[in-house]
């Protein structure tokens, strides 16, 4: 049950936060927050990670739905495995983020990204993220690491 709750917290948190960003922040505006470590920047991403596929949003939507569906199947199957808490936690984070970004693609036609990291490396500083992206990355890492640790 804790894994479902984690998934729902990620999805619901992002749902309300992205809605707030859409209503309150101008697109491509920038504001430094959290001791200037984060730059709040609203951006509509019509593609996938790093804008991949932005010229083919229908294909990106389809791939997003399929990958999310496959991950759901694996998540459900993981409940039949004893232990595997790290794997299940990984799926919770991954799916919370995937549901959020897939919902955006289906409902809005784009994913709402809203912050950049204020770091010296320009290539990293120019990437605009959302919390779902980090949950997907962290969840994937936990799943991959769980095989050798559990």
């Amino acid at each position: 049950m804790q894994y479902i709750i984690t998934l729902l917290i990620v999805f619901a948190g992002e749902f309300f936060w992205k809605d707030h960003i859409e209503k309150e922040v101008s697109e491509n505006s920038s504001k430094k927050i959290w001791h200037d470590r984060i730059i709040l920047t609203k951006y509509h991403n019509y593609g996938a990670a790093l804008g991949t596929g932005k010229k083919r949003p229908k294909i990106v939507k389809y791939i997003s739905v399929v990958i999310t569906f496959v991950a759901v199947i694996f998540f459900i199957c993981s409940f039949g495995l004893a232990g595997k808490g790290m794997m299940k936690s990984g799926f919770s984070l991954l799916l919370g983020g995937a549901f959020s970004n897939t919902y955006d693609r289906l409902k809005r036609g784009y994913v709402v990204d809203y912050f950049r990291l204020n770091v010296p490396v320009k290539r990293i500083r120019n990437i605009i993220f959302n919390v779902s992206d980090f949950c997907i990355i962290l969840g994937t890492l936990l799943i991959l690491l769980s095989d050798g640790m559990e």
Side-chain angles (χ1 to χ4, degrees):
M1 186 59 136
Q2 70 193 34
Y3 306 111
I4 301 294
I5 291 170
T6 300
L7 184 157
L8 292 173
I9 287 171
V10 171
F11 178 77
E14 277 285 86
F15 179 85
F16 290 110
W17 183 244
K18 287 177 178 180
D19 191 55
H20 170 76
I21 294 293
E22 282 289 88
K23 291 176 182 171
E24 303 296 328
V25 178
S26 304
E27 188 163 5
N28 294 320
S29 66
S30 292
K31 178 182 177 184
K32 291 182 180 177
I33 59 172
W34 201 41
H35 306 288
D36 293 345
R37 292 185 182 126
I38 294 177
I39 304 169
L40 190 63
T41 304
K42 179 170 101 175
Y43 177 73
H44 294 160
N45 184 353
Y46 291 88
L50 303 173
T52 305
K54 66 183 171 187
K55 292 182 181 177
R56 299 186 177 213
K58 287 184 181 181
I59 292 172
V60 172
K61 285 179 191 180
Y62 175 76
I63 291 170
S64 181
V65 168
V66 169
I67 290 172
T68 301
F69 179 76
V70 170
V72 167
I73 300 299
F74 279 102
F75 184 47
I76 291 168
C77 290
S78 76
F79 288 120
L81 303 173
K84 299 293 185 183
M86 182 184 273
M87 176 189 290
K88 293 171 188 172
S89 294
F91 275 116
S92 299
L93 292 170
L94 183 148
L95 285 171
F99 284 153
S100 176
N101 284 348
T102 300
Y103 173 84
D104 273 5
R105 285 186 184 98
L106 296 174
K107 178 75 173 171
R108 303 177 205 261
Y110 54 84
V111 173
V112 178
D113 290 330
Y114 50 83
F115 73 90
R116 299 182 286 140
L117 303 175
N118 194 13
V119 295
V121 181
K122 186 176 180 179
R123 293 183 94 185
I124 294 173
R125 189 175 59 246
N126 287 339
I127 300 171
I128 305 173
F129 301 94
N130 60 43
V131 170
S132 293
D133 297 336
F134 281 100
C135 289
I136 291 167
I137 292 166
L138 179 58
T140 301
L141 287 173
L142 288 175
I143 293 165
L144 293 173
L145 292 173
S146 70
D147 191 41
M149 296 185 151
E150 295 182 307

